[in-house]
Amino acid sequence: MIKRLCIIGLGSIGGSLARALRSAGACGEVVGVDRDPEQLHRAVELGVIDRQDTDAAKAVAGADMVVVAVPVGAMTAVFRAIAPAVSAGAVVTDVGSTKASVVMAANEAWRNIPENFVPGHPIAGTEKSGIEAANGELFQGRRVILTPLAQTRRTAVERVREMWVAAGAEVTEMEVVHHDEVLAATSHLPHLLAFNLVDTLANAEEQEEIFQYAAGGFRDFTRIASSDPVMWRDICLANRGPILDALAKFSTNLAELAKAIGQGDEEYILTVLRRAKAARDRFCG
Ligand code: NAP
Protein backbone atom coordinates (compact mmCIF):
# COMPACT_ATOMS: atom_id res chain seq x y z
CA MET A 1 0.00 0.00 0.00
CA ILE A 2 1.38 3.38 -1.02
CA LYS A 3 0.49 6.06 1.54
CA ARG A 4 1.13 9.12 -0.60
CA LEU A 5 1.75 8.74 -4.32
CA CYS A 6 3.21 11.67 -6.24
CA ILE A 7 2.94 11.53 -10.02
CA ILE A 8 4.92 14.08 -12.01
CA GLY A 9 3.57 14.47 -15.56
CA LEU A 10 -0.17 13.90 -15.65
CA GLY A 11 -0.53 12.70 -19.21
CA SER A 12 -1.81 9.43 -20.59
CA ILE A 13 0.68 7.21 -18.71
CA GLY A 14 0.84 9.11 -15.38
CA GLY A 15 -2.94 9.57 -15.38
CA SER A 16 -3.60 5.92 -16.26
CA LEU A 17 -1.34 4.72 -13.44
CA ALA A 18 -3.07 6.99 -10.92
CA ARG A 19 -6.47 5.72 -12.06
CA ALA A 20 -5.39 2.05 -11.97
CA LEU A 21 -3.90 2.32 -8.46
CA ARG A 22 -6.89 4.18 -7.11
CA SER A 23 -9.37 1.65 -8.40
CA ALA A 24 -7.21 -1.19 -7.00
CA GLY A 25 -7.22 0.57 -3.61
CA ALA A 26 -3.42 0.41 -3.71
CA CYS A 27 -2.73 4.00 -2.68
CA GLY A 28 -3.89 6.62 -0.24
CA GLU A 29 -3.50 10.23 -1.28
CA VAL A 30 -2.50 11.02 -4.88
CA VAL A 31 -0.63 14.26 -5.56
CA GLY A 32 -0.33 15.28 -9.21
CA VAL A 33 2.27 17.58 -10.76
CA ASP A 34 2.20 19.03 -14.25
CA ARG A 35 3.43 22.25 -15.78
CA ASP A 36 -0.01 22.82 -17.31
CA PRO A 37 -2.49 24.12 -14.65
CA GLU A 38 -5.44 23.26 -16.96
CA GLN A 39 -4.33 19.63 -17.08
CA LEU A 40 -4.05 19.57 -13.27
CA HIS A 41 -7.44 21.16 -12.78
CA ARG A 42 -9.00 18.61 -15.12
CA ALA A 43 -7.22 15.74 -13.30
CA VAL A 44 -8.82 16.82 -10.00
CA GLU A 45 -12.19 17.23 -11.71
CA LEU A 46 -11.96 13.71 -13.17
CA GLY A 47 -11.03 12.29 -9.75
CA VAL A 48 -7.61 11.08 -10.98
CA ILE A 49 -5.71 12.96 -8.24
CA ASP A 50 -6.57 14.44 -4.83
CA ARG A 51 -4.16 17.34 -4.81
CA GLN A 52 -2.35 19.34 -7.48
CA ASP A 53 0.85 21.33 -7.67
CA THR A 54 2.95 22.88 -10.42
CA ASP A 55 6.00 22.80 -8.15
CA ALA A 56 7.52 19.30 -8.22
CA ALA A 57 9.86 19.94 -5.27
CA LYS A 58 6.95 20.95 -3.03
CA ALA A 59 4.77 18.09 -4.20
CA VAL A 60 7.24 15.26 -3.50
CA ALA A 61 7.63 16.21 0.17
CA GLY A 62 6.01 13.48 2.29
CA ALA A 63 5.37 11.12 -0.65
CA ASP A 64 6.54 7.52 -0.18
CA MET A 65 6.32 6.76 -3.91
CA VAL A 66 7.28 9.22 -6.66
CA VAL A 67 6.58 8.35 -10.31
CA VAL A 68 8.10 10.59 -13.00
CA ALA A 69 5.97 10.36 -16.16
CA VAL A 70 7.21 13.25 -18.33
CA PRO A 71 8.77 12.94 -21.83
CA VAL A 72 12.33 11.57 -21.61
CA GLY A 73 13.82 14.92 -22.67
CA ALA A 74 12.30 16.55 -19.55
CA MET A 75 13.63 13.96 -17.06
CA THR A 76 16.86 15.83 -16.15
CA ALA A 77 14.99 19.01 -15.24
CA VAL A 78 12.45 17.12 -13.14
CA PHE A 79 15.10 15.01 -11.35
CA ARG A 80 17.12 18.15 -10.60
CA ALA A 81 14.04 19.83 -9.13
CA ILE A 82 13.07 16.91 -6.89
CA ALA A 83 16.56 15.65 -5.88
CA PRO A 84 16.89 17.84 -2.76
CA ALA A 85 13.24 17.43 -1.76
CA VAL A 86 12.45 13.70 -1.94
CA SER A 87 11.80 12.25 1.54
CA ALA A 88 14.36 9.82 2.95
CA GLY A 89 13.10 6.30 2.31
CA ALA A 90 10.81 7.32 -0.56
CA VAL A 91 11.04 5.26 -3.74
CA VAL A 92 11.49 7.14 -7.02
CA THR A 93 10.71 5.51 -10.36
CA ASP A 94 9.97 6.63 -13.93
CA VAL A 95 8.05 5.39 -16.97
CA GLY A 96 10.33 6.68 -19.74
CA SER A 97 10.52 4.77 -23.02
CA THR A 98 14.34 4.81 -23.05
CA LYS A 99 16.43 3.78 -20.07
CA ALA A 100 20.12 4.70 -20.59
CA SER A 101 19.15 8.36 -21.07
CA VAL A 102 17.00 8.32 -17.92
CA VAL A 103 19.83 6.79 -15.89
CA MET A 104 22.16 9.48 -17.28
CA ALA A 105 19.61 12.14 -16.28
CA ALA A 106 19.42 10.73 -12.75
CA ASN A 107 23.20 10.71 -12.58
CA GLU A 108 23.35 14.37 -13.58
CA ALA A 109 20.77 15.34 -10.98
CA TRP A 110 21.93 13.28 -8.00
CA ARG A 111 25.63 12.64 -8.82
CA ASN A 112 25.28 9.37 -6.84
CA ILE A 113 22.07 7.78 -8.02
CA PRO A 114 20.06 6.92 -4.88
CA GLU A 115 19.54 3.27 -3.89
CA ASN A 116 15.81 3.92 -3.97
CA PHE A 117 15.71 4.95 -7.64
CA VAL A 118 14.21 2.23 -9.88
CA PRO A 119 14.10 2.92 -13.64
CA GLY A 120 11.00 1.44 -15.28
CA HIS A 121 9.05 1.28 -18.53
CA PRO A 122 5.45 0.08 -19.03
CA ILE A 123 5.06 -1.63 -22.41
CA ALA A 124 1.59 -0.22 -22.83
CA GLY A 125 0.38 3.02 -24.23
CA THR A 126 -1.73 4.73 -26.78
CA GLU A 127 -1.25 7.28 -29.51
CA LYS A 128 -3.39 9.69 -27.47
CA SER A 129 -1.82 12.20 -25.07
CA GLY A 130 -2.98 14.09 -22.02
CA ILE A 131 -5.12 13.43 -18.98
CA GLU A 132 -8.26 12.85 -21.07
CA ALA A 133 -6.53 9.73 -22.47
CA ALA A 134 -5.93 8.30 -18.97
CA ASN A 135 -7.38 4.81 -18.72
CA GLY A 136 -7.30 2.71 -15.55
CA GLU A 137 -7.35 -0.52 -17.59
CA LEU A 138 -4.32 0.39 -19.73
CA PHE A 139 -1.83 -1.83 -17.90
CA GLN A 140 -4.06 -4.90 -17.46
CA GLY A 141 -2.11 -7.94 -18.66
CA ARG A 142 0.67 -5.75 -20.11
CA ARG A 143 4.36 -5.96 -19.34
CA VAL A 144 6.42 -3.51 -17.34
CA ILE A 145 10.21 -3.69 -17.60
CA LEU A 146 12.27 -2.57 -14.61
CA THR A 147 15.98 -1.93 -15.20
CA PRO A 148 17.51 -1.75 -11.69
CA LEU A 149 21.13 -0.66 -11.38
CA ALA A 150 23.94 -2.31 -9.39
CA GLN A 151 23.28 -0.01 -6.43
CA THR A 152 19.47 -0.26 -6.52
CA ARG A 153 18.08 -1.65 -3.28
CA ARG A 154 16.00 -4.83 -3.73
CA THR A 155 13.30 -3.56 -1.38
CA ALA A 156 12.82 -0.54 -3.66
CA VAL A 157 12.54 -2.80 -6.74
CA GLU A 158 9.96 -4.92 -4.91
CA ARG A 159 7.90 -1.86 -3.99
CA VAL A 160 7.79 -0.73 -7.62
CA ARG A 161 6.99 -4.27 -8.73
CA GLU A 162 4.06 -4.40 -6.25
CA MET A 163 2.78 -1.06 -7.55
CA TRP A 164 2.68 -2.29 -11.16
CA VAL A 165 1.18 -5.65 -10.20
CA ALA A 166 -1.59 -3.73 -8.38
CA ALA A 167 -2.15 -1.81 -11.65
CA GLY A 168 -2.66 -5.15 -13.42
CA ALA A 169 0.75 -5.54 -15.09
CA GLU A 170 3.27 -8.34 -15.30
CA VAL A 171 6.73 -7.16 -14.24
CA THR A 172 10.05 -8.31 -15.70
CA GLU A 173 13.61 -7.07 -15.24
CA MET A 174 16.22 -6.30 -17.86
CA GLU A 175 19.62 -4.69 -18.13
CA VAL A 176 19.52 -1.01 -19.23
CA VAL A 177 21.48 -1.36 -22.51
CA HIS A 178 19.59 -4.50 -23.51
CA HIS A 179 16.26 -2.73 -22.86
CA ASP A 180 17.19 0.10 -25.22
CA GLU A 181 18.29 -2.30 -28.00
CA VAL A 182 15.15 -4.42 -27.73
CA LEU A 183 12.81 -1.41 -27.65
CA ALA A 184 14.62 0.27 -30.58
CA ALA A 185 13.67 -2.74 -32.72
CA THR A 186 10.19 -3.49 -31.37
CA SER A 187 8.79 -0.01 -30.68
CA HIS A 188 10.99 2.85 -31.88
CA LEU A 189 11.59 1.47 -35.40
CA PRO A 190 7.88 0.77 -36.12
CA HIS A 191 6.89 4.23 -34.86
CA LEU A 192 9.46 5.90 -37.11
CA LEU A 193 8.33 3.84 -40.10
CA ALA A 194 4.71 4.84 -39.50
CA PHE A 195 5.57 8.55 -39.10
CA ASN A 196 7.77 8.42 -42.20
CA LEU A 197 5.22 6.61 -44.36
CA VAL A 198 2.43 9.07 -43.54
CA ASP A 199 4.78 12.03 -44.05
CA THR A 200 5.92 10.67 -47.43
CA LEU A 201 2.34 10.19 -48.60
CA ALA A 202 1.21 13.54 -47.20
CA ASN A 203 3.88 15.25 -49.30
CA ALA A 204 2.88 13.44 -52.49
CA GLU A 205 1.11 15.52 -55.14
CA GLU A 206 -1.86 13.16 -55.22
CA GLN A 207 -2.19 13.10 -51.39
CA GLU A 208 -5.94 13.89 -51.38
CA GLU A 209 -6.61 10.80 -53.42
CA ILE A 210 -4.19 8.61 -51.47
CA PHE A 211 -5.85 9.37 -48.13
CA GLN A 212 -9.35 9.14 -49.64
CA TYR A 213 -8.74 5.55 -50.70
CA ALA A 214 -6.74 4.54 -47.62
CA ALA A 215 -8.31 1.34 -46.31
CA GLY A 216 -8.13 -0.67 -43.09
CA GLY A 217 -4.55 -1.84 -43.62
CA PHE A 218 -3.31 1.73 -43.91
CA ARG A 219 -5.19 2.72 -40.75
CA ASP A 220 -3.82 -0.26 -38.79
CA PHE A 221 -0.26 0.35 -39.92
CA THR A 222 -0.27 4.09 -39.37
CA ARG A 223 -2.31 4.47 -36.13
CA ILE A 224 0.88 5.07 -34.16
CA ALA A 225 1.80 8.01 -36.41
CA SER A 226 -0.80 9.97 -34.40
CA SER A 227 1.47 9.70 -31.32
CA ASP A 228 2.87 12.81 -29.68
CA PRO A 229 5.70 14.30 -31.81
CA VAL A 230 7.54 15.83 -28.81
CA MET A 231 7.62 12.49 -27.00
CA TRP A 232 8.95 10.77 -30.14
CA ARG A 233 11.53 13.45 -30.90
CA ASP A 234 12.85 12.91 -27.36
CA ILE A 235 12.96 9.12 -27.85
CA CYS A 236 14.87 9.49 -31.18
CA LEU A 237 17.51 11.64 -29.53
CA ALA A 238 17.68 9.64 -26.30
CA ASN A 239 18.15 6.24 -27.98
CA ARG A 240 20.13 7.38 -31.02
CA GLY A 241 22.63 4.48 -31.36
CA PRO A 242 20.22 1.52 -31.11
CA ILE A 243 17.67 3.34 -33.32
CA LEU A 244 20.28 4.00 -36.02
CA ASP A 245 21.32 0.31 -35.91
CA ALA A 246 17.69 -0.81 -36.30
CA LEU A 247 17.09 1.67 -39.15
CA ALA A 248 20.27 0.52 -40.96
CA LYS A 249 19.25 -3.14 -40.77
CA PHE A 250 15.76 -2.31 -41.98
CA SER A 251 17.05 -0.13 -44.85
CA THR A 252 19.34 -2.94 -46.05
CA ASN A 253 16.47 -5.43 -46.07
CA LEU A 254 14.13 -2.98 -47.79
CA ALA A 255 16.75 -2.29 -50.48
CA GLU A 256 17.07 -6.08 -51.04
CA LEU A 257 13.32 -6.37 -51.43
CA ALA A 258 13.24 -3.42 -53.86
CA LYS A 259 16.01 -5.08 -55.90
CA ALA A 260 14.06 -8.36 -56.02
CA ILE A 261 10.91 -6.55 -57.14
CA GLY A 262 12.90 -4.73 -59.84
CA GLN A 263 14.37 -8.02 -61.08
CA GLY A 264 11.04 -9.84 -60.90
CA ASP A 265 12.59 -12.33 -58.44
CA GLU A 266 9.40 -14.18 -57.47
CA GLU A 267 11.15 -16.64 -55.20
CA TYR A 268 12.89 -13.98 -53.09
CA ILE A 269 9.70 -11.95 -52.71
CA LEU A 270 7.61 -14.96 -51.72
CA THR A 271 10.26 -16.19 -49.27
CA VAL A 272 10.34 -12.82 -47.44
CA LEU A 273 6.54 -12.53 -47.33
CA ARG A 274 6.08 -16.14 -46.14
CA ARG A 275 8.77 -15.79 -43.48
CA ALA A 276 7.20 -12.54 -42.20
CA LYS A 277 3.67 -14.00 -42.12
CA ALA A 278 4.84 -17.11 -40.25
CA ALA A 279 6.72 -15.00 -37.69
CA ARG A 280 3.81 -12.66 -37.09
CA ASP A 281 1.25 -15.49 -36.83
CA ARG A 282 3.50 -17.25 -34.32
CA PHE A 283 4.23 -14.24 -32.09
CA CYS A 284 1.04 -12.19 -32.33
CA GLY A 285 -1.59 -14.92 -32.87
P1 NAP B 1 1.75 12.86 -22.31
O1 NAP B 1 0.38 12.32 -22.37
O2 NAP B 1 2.17 13.91 -23.27
O3 NAP B 1 2.04 13.35 -20.82
C1 NAP B 1 3.23 13.93 -20.40
C2 NAP B 1 2.88 15.02 -19.42
O4 NAP B 1 4.07 15.51 -18.81
C3 NAP B 1 2.19 16.22 -20.10
O5 NAP B 1 1.07 16.62 -19.33
C4 NAP B 1 3.29 17.27 -20.08
O6 NAP B 1 2.81 18.60 -20.08
C5 NAP B 1 3.98 16.95 -18.79
N1 NAP B 1 5.31 17.54 -18.70
C6 NAP B 1 6.23 17.74 -19.68
N2 NAP B 1 7.34 18.30 -19.18
C7 NAP B 1 7.10 18.48 -17.86
C8 NAP B 1 7.86 19.02 -16.80
N3 NAP B 1 9.10 19.50 -17.00
N4 NAP B 1 7.30 19.06 -15.56
C9 NAP B 1 6.06 18.58 -15.34
N5 NAP B 1 5.28 18.04 -16.31
C10 NAP B 1 5.81 17.99 -17.55
O7 NAP B 1 2.83 11.67 -22.49
P2 NAP B 1 2.70 10.15 -22.05
O8 NAP B 1 2.27 9.36 -23.22
O9 NAP B 1 1.97 10.03 -20.77
O10 NAP B 1 4.26 9.81 -21.84
C11 NAP B 1 4.90 10.10 -20.63
C12 NAP B 1 6.15 9.22 -20.50
O11 NAP B 1 5.78 7.84 -20.65
C13 NAP B 1 7.21 9.50 -21.56
O12 NAP B 1 8.48 9.45 -20.97
C14 NAP B 1 7.06 8.33 -22.54
O13 NAP B 1 8.29 8.04 -23.17
C15 NAP B 1 6.58 7.22 -21.62
N6 NAP B 1 5.77 6.18 -22.24
C16 NAP B 1 4.79 6.51 -23.13
C17 NAP B 1 4.03 5.51 -23.71
C18 NAP B 1 2.93 5.83 -24.70
O14 NAP B 1 2.61 4.99 -25.54
N7 NAP B 1 2.32 6.99 -24.65
C19 NAP B 1 4.25 4.16 -23.37
C20 NAP B 1 5.24 3.86 -22.43
C21 NAP B 1 6.01 4.88 -21.87
P3 NAP B 1 2.64 19.40 -21.48
O15 NAP B 1 1.43 18.80 -22.11
O16 NAP B 1 2.49 20.81 -21.03
O17 NAP B 1 3.89 19.17 -22.29
Side-chain angles (χ1 to χ4, degrees):
M1 171 81 179
I2 298 165
K3 290 194 187 78
R4 186 185 291 170
L5 170 70
C6 176
I7 299 200
I8 304 172
L10 271 180
S12 70
I13 300 293
S16 296
L17 181 60
R19 272 196 189 282
L21 294 175
R22 291 191 91 129
S23 60
C27 60
E29 190 184 28
V30 184
V31 184
V33 181
D34 204 279
R35 58 183 182 181
D36 178 1
E38 283 282 308
Q39 191 96 326
L40 284 170
H41 183 67
R42 188 74 185 121
V44 174
E45 231 171 43
L46 291 168
V48 178
I49 57 172
D50 299 300
R51 213 152 48 74
Q52 51 164 305
D53 213 313
T54 47
D55 183 339
K58 254 172 50 200
V60 294
D64 53 332
M65 176 69 75
V66 177
V67 180
V68 184
V70 299
V72 288
M75 292 282 178
T76 309
V78 170
F79 289 158
R80 278 206 179 119
I82 65 171
V86 172
S87 307
V91 173
V92 179
T93 186
D94 77 293
V95 299
S97 303
T98 61
K99 298 279 45 101
S101 74
V102 169
V103 171
M104 213 184 300
N107 202 29
E108 273 177 42
W110 274 281
R111 293 294 160 211
N112 291 315
I113 299 179
E115 295 171 333
N116 280 353
F117 175 66
V118 185
H121 177 203
I123 312 299
T126 117
E127 71 282 10
K128 306 253 186 314
S129 302
I131 193 66
E132 301 288 344
N135 164 15
E137 302 293 306
L138 184 65
F139 308 111
Q140 283 297 331
R142 306 306 295 271
R143 288 211 170 154
V144 171
I145 303 174
L146 303 182
T147 61
L149 308 168
Q151 69 267 40
T152 314
R153 207 181 278 163
R154 268 331 289 181
T155 49
V157 177
E158 289 316 313
R159 291 210 58 210
V160 176
R161 177 189 292 273
E162 282 163 15
M163 175 184 81
W164 284 111
V165 168
E170 187 190 314
V171 179
T172 53
E173 287 180 34
M174 216 182 253
E175 203 261 319
V176 168
V177 173
H178 189 53
H179 168 279
D180 286 0
E181 287 166 358
V182 170
L183 270 293
T186 55
S187 169
H188 309 166
L189 177 64
H191 275 83
L192 293 178
L193 298 185
F195 277 121
N196 201 261
L197 172 67
V198 176
D199 186 50
T200 303
L201 297 184
N203 284 328
E205 257 173 46
E206 63 281 21
Q207 56 154 300
E208 287 285 319
E209 196 179 26
I210 290 172
F211 286 105
Q212 206 173 341
Y213 289 105
F218 178 82
R219 280 187 173 268
D220 289 349
F221 185 71
T222 60
R223 176 183 58 79
I224 52 181
S226 290
S227 302
D228 183 51
V230 170
M231 176 178 134
W232 280 97
R233 175 206 59 194
D234 285 4
I235 291 171
C236 286
L237 299 177
N239 201 24
R240 216 174 289 197
I243 288 176
L244 286 177
D245 289 346
L247 279 172
K249 209 177 281 178
F250 180 81
S251 304
T252 304
N253 287 351
L254 192 63
E256 284 296 315
L257 185 60
K259 193 168 108 196
I261 293 170
Q263 292 171 345
D265 186 343
E266 290 176 31
E267 201 182 318
Y268 184 91
I269 299 168
L270 198 56
T271 302
V272 170
L273 302 188
R274 279 198 175 130
R275 206 166 48 213
K277 175 173 165 47
R280 193 183 189 282
D281 291 350
R282 181 153 37 102
F283 291 116
C284 305

